[in-house]
Amino acid sequence: MSSLPRAASVFADSKPHYALLDGLRGVAALIVIVYHVFECFSWSPAPHGYLAVDFFFVLSGFVIGYAYDDRWGRSLTTRSFFRRRLIRLHPMVVMGAMIGAVCFVLQGSVKWDGQHVATSFVLFALLMNMLMLPLPVGARADVRGNGELFPLNGPNWSLFFEYVGNILYALLLRRLPTLGLALVCIASGAGLTWIAVSDGFLGVGWSMIDGGLWSGFVRMLFPYSVGMLLARLLTVRRHSKAASSASSAWFIGASAALLLVAIAPLCFGELPAWANGLYDACCVVFLFPAIVWLIAVKTSVSESCIVRFLGDVSYPLYAVHYPLMYLFYAHIGFSGSLVPIETLSNVWPVALALPFACLLLGWLSLRCYDIPVRRWLARHA
């Protein structure tokens, strides 16, 4: 047996984990990777894969509420909460930024349009990413020229909003009565639906362009707060009825539901754009909370070997995969919004191998970096 503890036990709380929910996070991470591999081609096996990020937010809100709601004022302070969350999240933020910088240099340190970027701006972008500070539109450190909040590792936009959600929880949301939290869910759910229907989809938040920062905040706030609400309601329910034993059937069913959401074709073309936005909103507002609720109610919180690997690797996998996408996009001649030079039929072996390469990188990051670093920080923080 490895001398390293499993990921969930590093700086762990006293409460056991919902193993199947951890595993579903891994399934969602894999869906995001497949979406990113194929998003530059005219065909994708997961055109709605971007919605897996919204499922992440529901899970995060649920886990935060479940783990911490009943500990404030006893064993938990605001300072210790932020310390725990930083130890959980930030080591992989730093690793993802560093891998992104290395991959950018390997690409030749050029923007999407071929313009060379000075090393000083790459280093500044690296510093901003490591500090989780988003870049404004037009900043010279926008090394790809694509308007990303974090141009060395694009998906860090969602981790940035995860940090915002943690701050909101510690300072405000945890203090709200259940009715007040429900009202936040209703208001933010209405805002999310309006954004989705107006834009035609929910793939927003990665840039400040066209109000993207506000859209990203609303995109985080609803699933995050509804996850917290589910945790509160589940606590009440558990006083009267214990959950049944964990079942692989529930995990398979929930995974299948997420896959069906992802593989559904985009509604553009034959239907008006708002139809696609309505589909996105319905998945986030109704389906994803229902999945989390059913898994939490119908399964126990005990350990599950079936989904342990997916749960452990999910966060490192998500945090470090996208720099490999940048290399892949450079390989196929994809430049921002321009059509790639290479067609999918010419590069499909690389496209199929890329998710496995990301999985390997995520696992190595977990075992060789994330677990040891968090274990050290837990002892010395």
Side-chain angles (χ1 to χ4, degrees), residues 22-43:
D22 287 345
L24 287 178
R25 191 188 302 272
V27 173
L30 290 172
I31 290 174
V32 169
I33 290 172
V34 173
Y35 169 74
H36 283 152
V37 170
F38 293 93
E39 68 177 328
C40 60
F41 296 110
S42 59
W43 176 85

Side-chain angles (χ1 to χ4, degrees), residues 42-359:
S42 59
W43 176 85
S44 170
H48 276 102
Y50 56 87
L51 291 177
V53 174
D54 303 274
F55 185 71
F56 287 151
F57 286 140
V58 179
L59 285 177
S60 294
F62 178 86
V63 169
I64 290 295
Y66 167 73
Y68 297 111
D69 265 1
D70 61 354
R71 300 179 60 186
W72 293 94
R74 297 192 294 112
S75 60
L76 188 69
T77 64
T78 302
R79 180 178 179 179
S80 63
F81 171 78
F82 286 137
R83 183 174 68 248
R84 287 172 178 271
R85 297 311 296 160
L86 282 172
I87 290 176
R88 177 65 185 97
L89 297 174
H90 213 73
M92 287 311 306
V93 169
V94 173
M95 174 59 74
M98 294 177 64
I99 294 175
V102 170
C103 290
F104 185 74
V105 172
L106 290 176
Q107 288 177 241
S109 296
V110 294
K111 293 185 177 184
W112 290 118
D113 61 6
Q115 179 182 350
H116 181 76
V117 179
T119 302
S120 59
F121 291 125
V122 179
L123 292 176
F124 185 73
L126 174 61
L127 177 63
M128 293 289 282
N129 199 322
M130 292 173 66
L131 295 176
M132 195 54 83
L133 298 174
L135 288 174
V137 176
R140 298 186 69 180
D142 181 8
V143 296
R144 300 188 185 278
N146 201 34
E148 294 172 279
L149 296 180
F150 301 95
L152 290 177
N153 192 10
N156 262 19
W157 74 266
S158 61
L159 299 181
F160 167 76
F161 284 111
E162 177 93 6
Y163 276 49
V164 173
N166 284 186
I167 294 171
L168 276 177
Y169 169 73
L171 301 182
L172 175 63
L173 295 179
R174 70 176 179 87
R175 303 175 187 274
L176 295 177
T178 301
L179 178 59
L181 185 59
L183 292 177
V184 170
C185 293
I186 293 172
S188 57
L192 180 143
T193 302
W194 182 83
I195 291 171
V197 172
S198 299
D199 292 352
F201 78 132
L202 264 180
V204 297
W206 56 272
S207 171
M208 292 188 187
I209 297 174
D210 296 330
L213 197 61
W214 171 250
S215 298
F217 174 76
V218 176
R219 185 181 180 186
M220 174 279 297
L221 182 59
F222 170 75
Y224 199 73
S225 57
V226 82
M228 293 177 186
L229 181 62
L230 293 177
R232 289 194 187 183
L233 296 177
L234 183 70
T235 301
V236 174
R237 180 184 176 90
R238 280 191 179 279
H239 287 313
S240 59
K241 182 179 180 180
S244 62
S245 299
S247 169
S248 59
W250 283 101
F251 177 75
I252 293 172
S255 299
L258 293 178
L259 289 173
L260 288 174
V261 167
I263 66 176
L266 297 174
C267 301
F268 302 132
E270 298 180 359
L271 296 174
W274 63 261
N276 190 78
L278 185 60
Y279 171 84
D280 288 1
C282 288
C283 289
V284 179
V285 173
F286 300 109
L287 180 61
F288 292 167
I291 291 175
V292 172
W293 174 260
L294 286 173
I295 291 296
V297 168
K298 296 296 183 180
T299 64
S300 71
V301 296
S302 60
E303 195 62 54
S304 172
C305 295
I306 300 174
V307 296
R308 179 181 298 178
F309 173 76
L310 284 174
D312 285 352
V313 81
S314 59
Y315 176 53
L317 174 62
Y318 182 78
V320 302
H321 80 279
Y322 207 68
L324 297 188
M325 302 300 161
Y326 288 132
L327 290 179
F328 177 61
Y329 297 157
H331 171 68
I332 64 178
F334 175 66
S335 300
S337 60
L338 300 179
V339 177
I341 297 173
E342 297 286 352
T343 62
L344 180 58
S345 59
N346 292 335
V347 297
W348 65 265
V350 180
L352 291 180
L354 195 52
F356 296 97
C358 293
L359 197 59

